[in-house]
Amino acid sequence: MATYLIPKGIPPVIQPHLLPIIPQYFQKLSYDDLLILPLFFLDPFDCKWFERPQQTTRTRLVTTPGQTRNISKKLDETGSDVAILWGSQSGTAEGFAHRLAIAFRQRFRVDAQVMDLSDYDPHTIALLPETEIVVFIMSTCGEGDPCDNSWDFVNWLKKPFDLDFPLKNLRYAAFGLGNSEYRFFNKVITDVVELLDSLGAAPVLPVGRGDEAKRSTEEDFVEWKDKFLDVVACKLQLTEHETEYKPTVEVVESDNPRSGVCLSTHPQIKYKTGDHIAIWPVNPDEEVSNLLRLLGLEFRKDATIIIRSPGEDNDKLTVPTQTTISTLLGHYLDICAPVKRETVLALAQFATTDKAKSFLKALGKNKCVYGAFLAHNHLTFSRLLQRILDHDNDALWSCLPLSFVIETIPQMTPRTYSISSSSIMSPRNASITVAVAPTPLSSNTAITIPGLTSTYLSSLRASTSSSESVSAPLEAAASLYAQVLPSTFKPPVLSKTPLIMVAAGTGIAPFRGFLYDRARLASTGKPIGRMLLFFGCRHPDVDYLYQDELQNLHSGPLKDKLELVTAFEREEERKYVQDKLEEKGGEVMRLLLEEDAAFYVCGSVSMAKGVERVVAENVGKRRGWDEKEVEAWRRERRRAKRWHEDVWG
Ligand SMILES: Cc1cc2nc3c(=O)[nH]c(=O)nc-3n(C[C@H](O)[C@H](O)[C@H](O)COP(=O)(O)O)c2cc1C
């Protein structure tokens, strides 16, 4: 294992050999699956990729000039009877909305309009006649909250109305995305449907709910979508057509040379302790070259291509244009992503032999067959093409339209990590903590699926040197596309505020930054509040991250201030952080209820849920409160910035 600390702002392409910076506590890491890398770039491809309201401000009342904010008018203008409104934070619901529109067009040869909820005025849904249908595809975020682009819409539904049943003409369908590990599972769609019904709207089919915790969101959506299309065919008396491939993007080659990825360095990157960083992974060369070979594009890989939407607004394109084919496959499309069952079926129409077509149809025919196949096989888009070729040598994929590849393979999205360094201690370097933990296939554990970003990051490390030294040079090719994302998971402003931090696994990352902040403040004579750090992992010899550093801090600059409480799942006592919180309940309660301590939890949703339950039970017991009162207390703590969660499913 090696740790690299690389000064911010050095464009690696220009200056590949990086200067080692070795702050006092950064010298040794104790976990083999750990990597610390710098951040370099913002806006990696010289294009604006994701300027969306949910990533900028809560509301966006300004639309493109000339574009209506009236849903009814938009349907009239486009001659469409179906509006698909999406509320999404990280793009899944948005992707589903587009897929539904494509399926709709393919099956009925008529258009449905996909709309970002924040681009339209909520009250205009009341203007729709009964002959039109609105589809809501909405994710739940935060703690049962709407995504940033859906707040206005949900608030509008909650407001008092002058008329009874103002939405009595509205016919709607709804699908929600959520995760049952969260306390408020799919709360947004549940609330929206309840409110719509109470305002007189009528559902055309039961609400669908996807559950990320069961990894069934995709199949839940497909099932609901098929039912929706059946219902809508009947309601709108649409004529069914044989499914026919109609590209939604057009790909043309250009004579204008383009050098592929256009890097922009950002020498003044700033971050604050607790911020996040989004990393843009790059697909492995092998996967890219396999796909190029299978698509017969090897010799055209450096050709410049222009991607455009025929007759549509090019702003809706999900990949930047113009580009090269190899950049498209290497950077813009997530070619290592799992292959959807729908993709298998859609691919059948391009199979050049009957044998290949039957293979694909049999593989994708139902979710059980496909699920069992995936439980035994690691499938990516190129692996699927190869698989068919192995089955039938005559099957050729060189006629597969590039437009289909662009529409079908999900676009690359950045992966977000907590910054694990302190901006006070190390303002010129940001580090992240990454576990390289490939996922074994459920029915064939000998085969593992590598994580795209963790593998990419370790390949940068491996390509530099096998040395353990922090001064290992980074090769010119090892550039990293990254963007700092401000977060609210910040240490309290006053260093004397007591802290309770609960982490499992790589959830330790932000707390490492918090501790170094306080270590530096302690060294300047600032008063430091008491700190309890609960850390859980499998085994002290396996994944006790930053063990030496934590112990150094504990016995050094944070002596008498920091208490480390560890829980090891695979030691004899088999303890989890929740158990340790219970054991230390007396002190935790004193700090929380009497000393205004700030409480932080970082790690998996299930761990955070357990932690919250232990704290809630203890607070309830101490104060003699019922569940509602405890919940009100917790919400108040959140508002006062004394309760923070950074969790993932
Ligand atoms: C920070 C965060 C908070 C979440 N909170 C909830 C929640 O309270 N209830 C729920 O059912 N799902 C919750 N989820 C799960 C999301 O709804 C789920 O990941 C969904 O697929 C995201 O869709 P999107 O990509 O369209 O934003 C949360 C996810 C994240 C990352």
Side-chain angles (χ1 to χ4, degrees):
M1 190 217 62
T3 301
Y4 301 102
L5 288 155
I6 299 151
K8 173 197 74 169
I10 295 181
V13 179
I14 302 166
Q15 188 173 346
H17 293 277
L18 296 156
L19 310 171
I21 289 197
I22 313 174
Q24 198 178 351
Y25 299 106
F26 286 105
Q27 297 193 14
K28 189 167 172 282
L29 291 177
S30 54
Y31 185 48
D32 202 41
D33 289 339
L34 205 69
L35 186 70
I36 297 194
L37 283 169
L39 53 97
F40 289 123
F41 300 119
L42 188 69
D43 189 11
F45 307 113
D46 208 17
C47 315
K48 285 199 170 174
W49 273 46
F50 294 100
E51 195 175 348
R52 290 186 182 146
Q54 54 271 47
Q55 288 173 353
T56 50
T57 56
R58 274 257 148 107
T59 50
R60 184 180 58 168
L61 292 175
V62 188
T63 9
T64 318
Q67 190 184 312
T68 180
R69 292 189 55 83
N70 182 325
I71 297 170
S72 172
K73 201 163 164 222
K74 179 76 181 178
L75 290 188
D76 287 349
E77 279 173 10
T78 52
S80 186
D81 287 333
V82 177
I84 305 172
L85 300 176
W86 57 264
S88 178
Q89 199 69 26
S90 49
T92 322
E94 181 186 3
F96 284 1
H98 285 282
R99 281 171 59 193
L100 183 61
I102 291 172
F104 192 78
R105 185 172 336 148
Q106 284 177 345
R107 190 155 151 190
F108 309 119
R109 308 249 170 103
V110 285
D111 282 335
Q113 290 302 314
V114 176
M115 305 179 191
D116 176 337
L117 267 167
S118 66
D119 282 344
Y120 291 85
D121 293 327
H123 68 268
T124 61
I125 54 165
L127 307 174
L128 296 171
E130 284 177 48
T131 48
E132 291 173 352
I133 293 178
V134 174
V135 183
F136 297 94
I137 302 189
M138 299 175 73
S139 304
T140 298
C141 301
E143 282 196 66
D145 301 318
C147 300
D148 287 349
N149 76 328
S150 327
W151 275 94
D152 281 2
F153 178 75
V154 175
N155 285 340
W156 178 79
L157 283 179
K158 286 181 181 162
K159 84 175 189 56
F161 288 87
D162 296 337
L163 284 174
D164 284 343
F165 308 119
L167 300 182
K168 63 178 184 305
N169 289 334
L170 186 72
R171 298 292 168 267
Y172 78 90
F175 183 83
L177 289 85
N179 181 322
S180 56
E181 294 263 19
Y182 284 88
R183 188 143 50 123
F184 302 105
F185 175 52
N186 254 311
K187 183 167 187 313
V188 168
I189 207 68
T190 306
D191 286 356
V192 163
V193 162
E194 239 176 71
L195 290 161
L196 288 170
D197 292 353
S198 72
L199 297 171
V204 296
L205 81 160
V207 59
R209 289 182 181 82
D211 187 356
E212 192 181 51
K214 294 196 181 127
R215 297 179 189 273
S216 63
T217 307
E218 170 65 25
E219 285 292 349
D220 296 333
F221 172 69
V222 170
E223 206 170 295
W224 176 87
K225 178 188 68 137
D226 291 345
K227 278 188 203 144
F228 169 78
L229 293 175
D230 289 345
V231 167
V232 94
C234 195
K235 288 253 176 248
L236 299 182
Q237 298 186 337
L238 297 168
T239 316
E240 302 259 351
H241 290 265
E242 265 295 295
T243 308
E244 173 201 83
Y245 176 62
K246 276 203 148 195
T248 57
V249 293
E250 193 176 49
V251 184
V252 289
E253 272 189 37
S254 153
D255 296 335
N256 190 3
R258 170 92 182 172
S259 60
V261 182
C262 180
L263 299 177
S264 68
T265 56
H266 199 289
Q268 291 308 320
I269 282 176
K270 286 190 188 133
Y271 78 98
K272 287 263 177 292
T273 304
D275 277 345
H276 294 152
I277 185 162
I279 306 257
W280 294 85
V282 178
N283 288 312
D285 289 346
E286 194 190 345
E287 197 73 29
V288 175
S289 52
N290 281 345
L291 193 50
L292 285 168
R293 175 179 50 78
L294 288 155
L295 296 174
L297 292 170
E298 274 165 314
F299 300 107
R300 285 168 54 210
K301 70 181 168 66
D302 297 321
T304 303
I305 49 169
I306 296 171
I307 304 160
R308 51 187 186 215
S309 286
E312 272 190 45
D313 188 353
N314 273 339
D315 284 354
K316 288 186 186 153
L317 285 177
T318 52
V319 287
T321 179
Q322 48 181 310
T323 184
T324 61
I325 296 175
S326 57
T327 303
L328 178 75
L329 301 185
H331 296 262
Y332 300 155
L333 298 180
D334 194 351
I335 63 172
C336 297
V339 181
K340 296 182 194 94
R341 187 164 63 87
E342 275 193 332
T343 303
V344 175
L345 291 173
L347 205 54
Q349 67 190 299
F350 301 104
T352 48
T353 65
D354 286 345
K355 200 171 165 195
K357 198 178 286 248
S358 324
F359 179 89
L360 284 162
K361 285 194 169 163
L363 180 61
K365 84 172 174 239
N366 69 49
K367 67 176 177 185
C368 299
V369 171
Y370 192 55
F373 180 81
L374 291 183
H376 284 93
N377 298 280
H378 173 202
L379 207 64
T380 60
F381 195 75
S382 75
R383 283 164 180 257
L384 175 62
L385 300 186
Q386 183 62 54
R387 189 104 195 178
I388 302 156
L389 207 59
D390 295 344
H391 179 73
D392 177 6
N393 248 333
D394 296 331
L396 285 180
W397 293 111
S398 50
C399 54
L400 190 67
L402 198 50
S403 53
F404 178 82
V405 174
I406 294 170
E407 291 158 344
T408 308
I409 300 182
Q411 69 194 79
M412 187 71 92
T413 49
R415 287 21 176 202
T416 305
Y417 294 88
S418 299
I419 290 180
S420 58
S421 49
S422 147
S423 58
I424 301 181
M425 190 87 163
S426 167
R428 293 181 171 274
N429 298 273
S431 67
I432 55 171
T433 305
V434 182
V436 184
T439 316
L441 293 178
S442 55
S443 301
N444 187 358
T445 48
I447 298 181
T448 55
I449 305 180
L452 176 64
T453 315
S454 53
T455 312
Y456 162 62
L457 292 173
S458 19
S459 76
L460 294 184
R461 180 197 65 177
S463 70
T464 57
S465 163
S466 57
S467 158
E468 299 281 307
S469 156
V470 288
S471 59
L474 195 66
E475 281 174 14
S479 44
L480 186 65
Y481 309 131
Q483 179 181 4
V484 172
L485 304 173
S487 114
T488 51
F489 200 84
K490 292 271 161 53
V493 179
L494 295 179
S495 57
K496 64 178 187 213
T497 306
L499 287 187
I500 299 171
M501 297 164 278
V502 188
T506 52
I508 189 77
F511 301 136
R512 179 176 180 259
F514 287 19
L515 294 180
Y516 280 118
D517 263 13
R518 288 209 164 178
R520 170 53 65 90
L521 293 171
S523 71
T524 62
K526 287 260 171 9
I528 303 295
R530 170 127 176 95
M531 287 171 283
L532 282 181
L533 171 61
F534 293 86
F535 175 63
C537 64
R538 278 172 288 165
H539 193 279
D541 297 336
V542 178
D543 55 352
Y544 187 169
L545 305 183
Y546 303 117
Q547 181 174 13
D548 294 352
E549 290 187 38
L550 293 175
Q551 280 164 359
N552 285 342
L553 285 164
H554 177 249
S555 56
L558 297 178
K559 197 165 187 279
D560 304 328
K561 298 292 174 197
L562 170 65
E563 183 172 345
L564 288 171
V565 186
T566 47
F568 302 114
E569 276 169 49
R570 301 214 182 136
E571 278 231 305
E572 249 166 50
E573 53 169 2
R574 295 185 77 81
K575 293 278 180 175
Y576 295 92
V577 278
Q578 297 89 301
D579 305 318
K580 294 288 179 165
L581 261 170
E582 187 80 68
E583 283 171 20
K584 299 275 306 173
E587 181 167 15
V588 170
M589 287 304 114
R590 185 179 57 73
L591 290 173
L592 279 181
L593 298 173
E594 291 161 30
E595 297 196 19
D596 194 29
F599 185 84
Y600 296 82
V601 55
C602 187
S604 70
V605 183
S606 52
M607 180 276 289
K609 214 171 170 181
V611 163
E612 206 183 277
R613 186 183 38 75
V614 170
V615 174
E617 279 169 10
N618 277 290
V619 169
K621 263 190 238 154
R622 284 278 160 135
R623 288 278 159 99
W625 286 340
D626 64 19
E627 235 177 78
K628 272 199 172 152
E629 288 166 314
V630 174
E631 182 52 21
W633 167 84
R634 204 179 60 86
R635 288 201 171 253
E636 189 285 318
R637 300 305 294 165
R638 260 189 115 195
R639 261 193 300 276
K641 297 199 184 343
R642 287 290 192 263
W643 185 285
H644 303 260
E645 289 170 15
D646 188 352
V647 297
W648 50 84

